[in-house]
Amino acid sequence: MARHAVLSSGAKLWRSLPCAKSELRLELTLACGQTFRWRETAEGHWTGVIGGRVWTLTQTEDTLWYYVYTNQSGAGGENSSEDSLRGESVTASHHSEVEAEMLRDYFQLHVKLGDLYKEWGAADSHFKRISDIFTGVRMLRQDPTECLFSFICTSNNHISRIQGMVERLCQALGSPLCQLDQTSYHDFPTLSAMADSGVEERLRDLGFGYRARFLQQSAKQILDTHGPQWLVGLRNVPYLEARDSLRTLPGVGTKVADCVCLMCLDKCEAVPVDTHVWQIAKRDYKYTSDNRQKTLTEKVHRDIGDFFRKLWGPYAGWAHSVLFCADLKKFQNLKEMTSLKQPKSEEGHEGECKGLKIKRGFDLHQKKKKPKSERQKKAKISIKTEEA
């Protein structure tokens, strides 16, 4: 049976792209909740599906290594594992330039993450402290169908359960790609496969609950009302228009729509706000709503998003993902391994922030990028002292 590739077993079968870890850290980017189909199949090796192909990725300090499997039969075959890694059963693809470009697009490697980190850190001292530990957290540019329907599964859910749900969805409705170490890999289902009338019942049997209806109805609505190219076409419309269009689908609220806008539709300014991000805003930025809201309303969602857009600029959604990643329980050991000694001046500044209130007032349609200092000043202006 074919095995998962490991770089140390034969580097000549792998291909690579220059990419420093400061620009991309796989263990953070692929496991922080923006995608749900990557698994660590060996130490530092991540296997998942991009563009109908199964990939294994790993990295050294300045290089991103990738191995692509091209057997589409779904059967492991009877060849020895050694033969498989030589390319006789599950082979490395020869379409090297095409796949290199797929990988560059998926990780958006044209975006210089180090420069953005410096810019965000200059505007935000809290981000600066976090970013010194959580380097290389990069936004993916996912397939819109996979991203949307994966995030419909996130309602009242947690990452590990979402991963299992998405995997069952692919196994039930997706085309088989290959089998490695007794693990079967499938492509993400097409809209047509998910729109079938029998899908809801089938997914309920697989433990999807009320989400089963949302998945089937959303797929059907897209095909019946818009057509199969509608989702990818939302990349070409403004952020708010794309978000409002997504919210017409069953099971898609503001948070899910913002996730889809940010993670596959090129809307870098989208800041998904859930209770987790709300807690970050209250704890680390002393956010308080006008009337001490205890529930996450549309206004709170809008105000928090606008505040972070003022503070971080046009790539606010990317900066938000760094803080979200840093707050996940699975990554707390990274903080424990690094001493976060806060300068006294910053401690005093944070103490003065208690009782501050964030006001809304950001123009999402504003095109011109402001200089760092001006954006920083504007963010400060948006905070006013609330009387006790």
Side-chain angles (χ1 to χ4, degrees):
M1 179 175 290
R3 297 181 303 173
H4 291 94
V6 179
L7 183 63
S8 60
S9 297
K12 65 180 181 180
L13 299 176
W14 292 66
R15 291 186 295 280
S16 65
L17 292 173
C19 183
K21 281 191 174 181
S22 60
E23 289 292 316
L24 168 66
R25 282 173 65 185
L26 294 175
E27 76 275 17
L28 298 180
T29 299
L30 298 179
C32 68
Q34 58 175 312
T35 180
F36 305 101
R37 299 199 65 200
W38 292 90
R39 301 291 186 275
E40 191 174 20
T41 49
E43 185 176 358
H45 290 64
W46 295 82
T47 302
V49 178
I50 308 172
R53 295 167 167 86
V54 180
W55 307 60
T56 294
L57 309 176
T58 191
Q59 62 185 148
T60 49
E61 284 302 318
D62 59 0
T63 305
L64 174 62
W65 296 87
Y66 62 100
Y67 187 104
V68 187
Y69 312 87
T70 58
N71 186 329
Q72 303 294 304
S73 68
E78 298 181 357
N79 294 332
S80 68
S81 56
E82 290 81 4
D83 286 343
S84 298
L85 289 179
R86 290 192 186 100
E88 295 178 19
S89 176
V90 180
T91 63
S93 172
H94 297 292
H95 306 294
S96 57
E97 187 51 44
V98 171
E99 286 161 351
E101 187 54 39
M102 289 175 66
L103 208 55
R104 291 188 194 101
D105 181 73
Y106 186 72
F107 286 111
Q108 306 195 74
L109 294 181
H110 65 283
V111 177
K112 302 304 180 185
L113 191 60
D115 293 344
L116 289 175
Y117 267 56
K118 290 177 183 177
E119 185 175 331
W120 298 328
D124 178 358
S125 61
H126 174 69
F127 181 91
K128 178 65 171 64
R129 291 192 298 274
I130 292 297
S131 67
D132 288 342
I133 304 170
F134 290 87
T135 58
V137 180
R138 177 174 286 276
M139 291 308 307
L140 304 175
R141 189 176 194 246
Q142 301 178 60
D143 171 75
T145 298
E146 176 172 345
C147 186
L148 169 62
F149 287 87
S150 294
F151 273 93
I152 289 177
C153 295
T154 64
S155 175
N156 297 315
N157 226 336
H158 54 79
I159 291 177
S160 60
R161 189 161 178 258
I162 298 164
Q163 289 174 330
M165 209 171 270
V166 172
E167 194 56 43
R168 291 195 298 276
L169 177 64
C170 294
Q171 290 175 355
L173 302 175
S175 301
L177 297 176
C178 68
Q179 187 170 339
L180 304 167
D181 291 325
Q182 299 184 334
T183 299
S184 296
Y185 290 90
H186 294 71
D187 205 357
F188 199 85
T190 63
L191 288 170
S192 297
M194 291 185 286
D196 186 84
S197 59
V199 163
E200 179 181 347
E201 182 178 356
R202 188 174 181 185
L203 293 181
R204 283 186 181 275
D205 291 341
L206 292 173
F208 282 71
Y210 64 88
R211 304 171 194 86
R213 177 168 54 87
F214 292 153
L215 291 165
Q216 190 273 333
Q217 288 185 351
S218 287
K220 188 174 188 304
Q221 182 172 316
I222 290 172
L223 290 178
D224 290 349
T225 307
H226 305 290
Q229 298 304 312
W230 176 70
L231 275 176
V232 73
L234 293 179
R235 286 176 170 170
N236 302 318
V237 304
Y239 160 50
L240 292 178
E241 182 180 339
R243 188 183 71 177
D244 290 344
S245 296
L246 291 168
R247 291 179 62 188
T248 65
L249 299 172
V252 179
T254 302
K255 191 269 282 191
V256 168
D258 271 336
C259 287
V260 176
C261 283
L262 175 63
M263 298 169 190
C264 70
L265 297 182
D266 304 336
K267 316 305 181 197
C268 302
E269 70 271 41
V271 178
V273 179
D274 57 7
T275 54
H276 195 78
V277 174
W278 190 16
Q279 288 301 316
I280 291 174
K282 289 193 291 186
R283 182 191 68 219
D284 301 325
Y285 295 89
K286 310 307 174 188
Y287 170 83
T288 57
S289 55
D290 291 335
N291 55 355
R292 307 288 184 179
Q293 286 283 348
K294 295 184 178 180
T295 58
L296 184 56
T297 63
E298 285 294 317
K299 184 180 185 304
V300 171
H301 188 122
R302 183 177 64 245
D303 288 354
I304 292 174
D306 285 349
F307 169 72
F308 284 132
R309 279 184 281 270
K310 275 186 184 179
L311 181 61
W312 294 325
Y315 278 80
W318 286 52
H320 141 280
S321 71
V322 178
L323 297 190
F324 184 89
C325 177
D327 216 50
L328 293 174
K329 289 182 180 179
K330 66 168 75 175
F331 297 132
Q332 293 312 297
N333 63 313
L334 296 178
K335 291 181 179 179
E336 294 168 2
M337 291 166 59
T338 305
S339 176
L340 283 177
K341 294 183 178 179
Q342 193 176 59
K344 290 183 179 180
S345 60
E346 291 182 356
E347 288 177 351
H349 176 74
E350 285 200 353
E352 293 171 0
C353 286
K354 291 182 179 180
L356 298 185
K357 178 166 66 177
I358 297 170
K359 286 181 62 180
R360 189 174 67 85
F362 178 77
D363 184 1
L364 286 170
H365 300 286
Q366 187 173 2
K367 300 294 184 182
K368 186 176 180 181
K369 181 179 176 182
K370 291 180 169 54
K372 300 177 198 174
S373 59
E374 187 178 350
R375 284 207 316 274
Q376 188 175 359
K377 289 176 182 177
K378 195 172 181 183
K380 290 179 179 177
I381 292 172
S382 70
I383 303 179
K384 68 177 182 179
T385 304
E386 185 181 50
E387 296 180 0

